[in-house]
Amino acid sequence: MPPPTTAGTLPNRALHARLLRSGALDADPSAAAPLAASAANSSLPYALSLLRAHPSTFSYNTAIRSLAHGPRPHLAVALYRSMLLGPLSNPNNYTYPPLLAACARLLPASSPTPAAAPGTAVHASLFRRGLDSRDRFIGASLLSFYAAAGDLPAARQVFDASPPGQRDLPLWNSLLHAHLSQGFYAHVLRLSRQMPAADEVTLLALVSACSHLGALDTGRWAHASYARTRRSTTRNLGTALLNMYMRCGDVESAWSVFRETLDKDVRTWSVMIAGLATNGLPRDALALFAEMKNTGVDPDSITMTAVLSACAHAGMVDEGKKFLDCMPVEYRVQPTIEHYGCVVDLLGRAGQLDEALALIKTVPFKADVVLWGALLVACRVHKNVDMGEMAAMEILKLDPQHAGACVFLSNVYADAGKWDLVQGVRSSMKEHKIYKPPGSSIVELNGVVYEFLSGDRSHPQSDRIYAMLDEICKTLSLKGHKPSTKEVTFDVDEEDKEVCISQHSEKLALALGLISTTRGDVIRIVKNLRICEDCHSVMKIVSEVYDRVIVVRDRNRFHHFKNGSCSCLDYW
DNA sequence: TTAGGGTTAG
């Protein structure tokens, strides 16, 4: 019998004694399983001695499972090792799914591959036993583990190695999620088309991929196909759908999903509030926040970020500051550095740069790149060169690779004609291999996604697109628009600079959009970088002259161009 | 014999 234990909470000794007295443990050692499982997390030495006295594969598996979902998952791996030592407890196909889940939980949240060692060792171990492709549960667990480790090729390999008969819906969904979590959104769309069936989990991944891509038509199609088969929208799918509509700039559809989603939780509300704030409807966002409080849902940290961002977008400086001050008491949400970032943005937009700087200096955290970055944007918009230079320097101290700060400095120096300093920034960027990713824009027309780079001529209708651009230019000059080439010096890449500003990717996307739509239509463009000043003013004029609503999602926010003005109120 | 895999939104 196992020695008495001294550590941890007390195991169920009464049960243990009963099992021993009745001889149940001798007749069937797996009778120890419930006891081993419950003891594993409270007193592992006790569980271990119990398992050693009455070894069975079943009991070990049960205890490993219990540890895998407990507070110290690494102990599941330890128990597995001791399981391998006993002759009467050989692992079987039930051993590995919980064990691999434990390995996935051991991975640090942020860093990918390196910490994958225990999981790959487990993979090797089950490979040696010939168990790796026999069982669909093991396959799915392995795939999920590699996905969690950020090793997409390995995840893919597990899928490819699994016999087609084992590729059931959960395995496919694991594969989708693996691509989603690594940012391969177009692959998610492609894979989902190859799937023999789809369920809610599939649609969640698909809709989420559409949000990232801004692929509204595909997202709508997914929504419609779901609506055909189900009665009501579940909370999770509803939240994912309205996030998708918001991130595609379709506020109306987001509202209708929001209304029909029953049983809304804090995430549902937060997504809606944040979406309204970033889509140029900050006052609606704040009104919705008030409604949320009335329904008794408590805001969390994310909700407060959305609320503060709404204040910033609405220029409601005093309200924003008040929310920041009262949130720990009134909403029991402790302000984080993100919240301070929103308020720096709020002050910066309002032109209160000194106060924004003062706030950065008093935040109870070490100021980060985001905080200084918010100030940098404000300095750029309000043309405060000295403070902007200081902010850029602070950013480069924290992140010497920060392209935005380099570009800002180079631009400031170029404006001032300090070419030696410009050269200095440029060569330092070259030395550190800092580059601005090439600008690209996506426009989705009739369900087909087109991508443009700057100066792109790869589109089959390229001639018509450039003819349209010419026409736009003529219209603009009639309207008195002068191209703002100021930001050309922002371009880091020499080649980029030579590409005329009139061929920026978002302008090409716009031209194709104009050719393919008629008056009153909506043109939706997704840009990977921040929209440049010239493109921004061109979009405004085009929205009026050609009578289109143009929705541009850039790196940070939405621009809804309509009747000659933009929802961002020219601050971005 | 008993038990095991996928889940999304800010």
Side-chain angles (χ1 to χ4, degrees):
Chain A
M1 98 155 251
T5 173
T6 50
T9 41
L10 289 178
N12 191 340
R13 285 161 187 286
L15 173 61
H16 191 175
R18 208 159 51 236
L19 288 170
L20 284 172
R21 261 200 314 274
S22 65
L25 279 174
D26 293 325
D28 176 15
S30 64
L35 195 52
S38 68
N41 274 304
S42 53
S43 170
L44 186 59
Y46 177 86
L48 202 53
S49 57
L50 180 71
L51 288 164
R52 283 194 182 132
H54 308 280
S56 77
T57 297
F58 179 68
S59 301
Y60 268 99
N61 287 351
T62 311
I64 286 173
R65 194 174 87 87
S66 159
L67 287 170
H69 301 118
R72 290 166 301 167
H74 65 280
L75 295 179
V77 182
L79 188 58
Y80 171 68
R81 292 214 181 91
S82 82
M83 177 186 194
L84 297 179
L85 299 174
L88 296 174
S89 55
N90 282 322
N92 64 6
N93 51 332
Y94 286 93
T95 313
Y96 292 97
L99 189 57
L100 287 162
C103 293
R105 287 186 58 202
L106 289 174
L107 297 164
S110 52
S111 85
T113 354
T120 43
V122 168
H123 188 180
S125 169
L126 66 92
F127 180 76
R128 274 197 302 275
R129 281 156 216 280
L131 287 167
D132 59 323
S133 61
R134 298 276 176 77
D135 185 296
R136 63 202 174 103
F137 292 95
I138 292 178
S141 308
L142 260 181
L143 205 167
S144 309
F145 166 75
Y146 282 117
D151 190 346
L152 193 54
R156 179 81 226 190
Q157 222 172 351
V158 171
F159 183 87
D160 291 338
S162 69
Q166 280 180 21
R167 294 180 193 167
D168 59 5
L169 206 44
L171 190 70
W172 273 101
N173 286 337
S174 303
L175 187 68
L176 280 195
H177 176 245
H179 284 80
L180 187 68
S181 64
Q182 297 301 308
F184 291 95
Y185 307 120
H187 285 253
V188 174
L189 267 52
R190 205 171 313 144
L191 286 168
S192 71
R193 284 195 284 269
Q194 296 167 20
M195 291 177 61
D199 64 1
E200 191 180 326
V201 177
T202 317
L203 280 168
L204 282 167
L206 181 54
V207 165
S208 168
C210 290
S211 321
H212 289 279
L213 291 169
L216 181 57
D217 287 350
T218 309
R220 275 186 183 140
W221 173 85
H223 184 187
S225 71
Y226 178 82
R228 267 199 301 279
T229 55
R230 317 293 143 111
R231 266 167 235 109
S232 64
T233 311
T234 61
R235 175 168 65 198
N236 287 345
L237 187 63
T239 308
L241 278 170
L242 76 89
N243 180 56
M244 184 273 291
Y245 282 123
M246 280 300 193
R247 295 198 38 154
C248 292
D250 184 348
V251 179
E252 269 313 297
S253 303
W255 267 123
S256 80
V257 173
F258 183 74
R259 283 190 210 98
E260 72 194 31
T261 300
L262 307 169
D263 199 22
K264 303 172 182 61
D265 69 355
V266 63
R267 290 175 171 211
T268 319
W269 287 94
S270 300
V271 169
M272 196 64 197
I273 293 169
L276 290 168
T278 52
N279 275 286
L281 298 161
R283 285 171 195 279
D284 294 0
L286 293 172
L288 196 65
F289 177 59
E291 197 184 322
M292 168 183 165
K293 285 188 289 182
N294 287 337
T295 58
V297 176
D298 288 329
D300 68 4
S301 173
I302 305 289
T303 323
M304 295 316 296
T305 304
V307 167
L308 290 171
S309 131
C311 291
H313 285 271
M316 296 163 69
V317 179
D318 293 338
E319 289 83 349
K321 287 198 286 194
K322 222 169 90 192
F323 275 124
L324 184 72
D325 288 340
C326 79
M327 58 190 263
V329 175
E330 196 162 328
Y331 306 114
R332 268 161 291 151
V333 178
Q334 219 49 48
T336 66
I337 197 153
E338 278 81 30
H339 298 120
Y340 284 99
C342 288
V343 179
V344 169
D345 184 49
L346 168 86
L347 295 166
R349 277 167 187 272
Q352 302 179 11
L353 299 184
D354 292 326
E355 207 178 325
L357 179 60
L359 180 63
I360 290 182
K361 292 197 166 154
T362 58
V363 290
F365 308 94
K366 187 173 165 7
D368 67 355
V369 171
V370 177
L371 226 49
W372 288 113
L375 185 65
L376 185 66
V377 169
C379 292
R380 180 175 51 71
V381 175
H382 295 289
K383 307 199 186 345
N384 186 328
V385 171
D386 292 339
M387 197 187 285
E389 189 177 353
M390 192 266 282
M393 294 296 197
E394 292 293 338
I395 292 172
L396 290 173
K397 263 193 245 165
L398 295 165
D399 175 13
Q401 314 271 350
H402 196 281
C406 292
V407 166
F408 179 88
L409 279 181
S410 137
N411 187 53
V412 163
Y413 295 146
D415 268 2
K418 297 177 179 167
W419 299 107
D420 48 333
L421 290 175
V422 173
Q423 204 46 48
V425 175
R426 290 270 162 87
S427 47
S428 140
M429 291 179 72
K430 216 162 230 171
E431 190 190 322
H432 289 101
K433 296 197 168 53
I434 306 171
Y435 62 96
K436 206 172 98 177
S440 74
S441 295
I442 292 170
V443 61
E444 192 188 36
L445 295 160
N446 305 315
V448 185
V449 173
Y450 302 95
E451 185 176 16
F452 290 95
L453 300 175
S454 192
D456 204 325
R457 288 191 176 267
S458 61
H459 192 276
Q461 295 198 61
S462 209
D463 290 345
R464 287 190 63 199
I465 289 170
Y466 279 87
M468 189 69 219
L469 266 187
D470 276 345
E471 190 194 312
I472 295 173
C473 282
K474 283 181 194 130
T475 317
L476 291 172
S477 55
L478 283 176
K479 281 258 158 191
H481 170 79
K482 287 197 192 72
S484 142
T485 52
K486 196 186 83 201
E487 292 190 48
V488 173
T489 50
F490 264 87
D491 287 329
V492 176
D493 197 74
E494 288 301 317
E495 251 173 89
D496 238 18
K497 240 173 73 175
E498 286 164 24
V499 172
C500 178
I501 193 163
S502 70
Q503 297 182 11
H504 270 174
S505 62
E506 55 268 53
K507 290 207 184 77
L508 298 173
L510 173 67
L512 179 63
L514 283 176
I515 300 172
S516 321
T517 57
T518 54
R519 288 191 166 268
D521 282 351
V522 183
I523 299 170
R524 295 169 200 280
I525 295 169
V526 179
K527 163 120 209 229
N528 67 336
L529 306 173
R530 196 180 71 88
I531 184 170
C532 90
E533 206 167 307
D534 186 64
C535 288
H536 194 266
S537 50
V538 168
M539 299 274 175
K540 284 202 286 188
I541 299 172
V542 167
S543 73
E544 187 177 22
V545 175
Y546 292 87
D547 188 21
R548 306 284 202 281
V549 175
I550 305 166
V551 182
V552 178
R553 177 176 119 190
D554 78 7
R555 206 194 160 89
N556 300 318
R557 70 195 74 248
F558 280 95
H559 303 268
H560 290 254
F561 300 94
K562 197 176 174 184
N563 301 328
S565 60
C566 178
S567 62
C568 80
L569 304 174
D570 301 334
Y571 187 105
W572 73 96

